[in-house]
Amino acid sequence: MSTPHIEALDGQIAKTVLMPGDPLRAKFIADNFLENVVKFNNVRNVFGYTGTYKGKTISVMASGMGMPSIGIYSYELYKFYDVENIIRIGSCGAYDAELKLYDVLLADAAWSESSYALTQNGEKASTLYPSKDLNEKLMVIAKDLDIPVTSGTIHSSDVFYRENFAQFSDIRDQHGCIAVEMESFALFHNANILGKNAACLLTVSDNLVTAEVTSATERQNAFTKMMDIALGMAE
Ligand code: HPA
């Protein structure tokens, strides 16, 4: 059965889905890391694939950018395709000068000024949490792979281009956020309301304090540490 945004047939999507923002990153993962790949979604070029990693099954599908977009895709995957676990694998801007480009972060909370949860079901909390169980598993995999991971609260923002750029330091200081991205709050909310599991792994693509940045090409190809950890969730 298809949904308005996903044309996969029943059974084509694995219990665990990795979600990069960018459809080309989903394709990159399928092309370079998975075997026995079946493409299950082409709608709007938001590509989705199921394949095997070291003999175990996993899916990867793009979320698009921002909370309205990941809100649609994660809801449909959880509710209509029986997906149990969604692990966002995205990029973020670091709010801390000590975080270096390509460092891997794991969200242990998402703070947001977004109205996504309030609009969706009246949820008033501005901090939402990922699955403890998924986070613990991801940390074990990272340790086994010898990849350092920093966990902390992530600012999940609705706005990339703020008129008052310096505002980020107030958000950082008031809410204890170590980095900013634009999707995890909506993903965590959907997992909570539907009784499912979500986690968010991030790679630092820019640092708002030091103004270091990666190029778009580097961003598409160089996030392999994060992908290695997330792919370890195949089952
Ligand atoms: N802001 C929001 N989202 C991001 C950023 C940023 O600076 N960098 C990567 N994702």
Side-chain angles (χ1 to χ4, degrees), residues 88 90-95 155-162 165 179-183 202-208 219:
R88 164 164 155 70
S91 59
C92 64
Y95 277 179
H155 175 205
S156 209
S157 177
D158 269 338
V159 178
F160 189 92
Y161 296 108
R162 280 174 189 271
F165 175 76
V180 58
E181 52 80 71
M182 307 187 73
E183 290 83 13
L202 299 165
T203 298
V204 174
S205 62
D206 49 283
N207 190 308
L208 282 82
R219 230 175 284 185

Side-chain angles (χ1 to χ4, degrees), residues 32 41 45 47 94 153 176 198:
N32 292 282
N41 198 52
N45 284 347
F47 308 135
T153 302

Side-chain angles (χ1 to χ4, degrees), residues 2 5 9 20 42 44 50 70-71 91 100 119 123 128 134-135 156 166 169 177 198 203 214 216 227 231:
S2 59
H5 309 96
L9 305 174
N42 271 308
R44 291 175 180 251
T50 298
I70 199 167
S91 59
K100 301 285 170 257
T119 304
E123 170 63 66
L128 295 176
L134 282 189
N135 273 17
S156 209
S169 56
C177 301
T203 298
T214 55
M227 291 169 196
L231 284 161

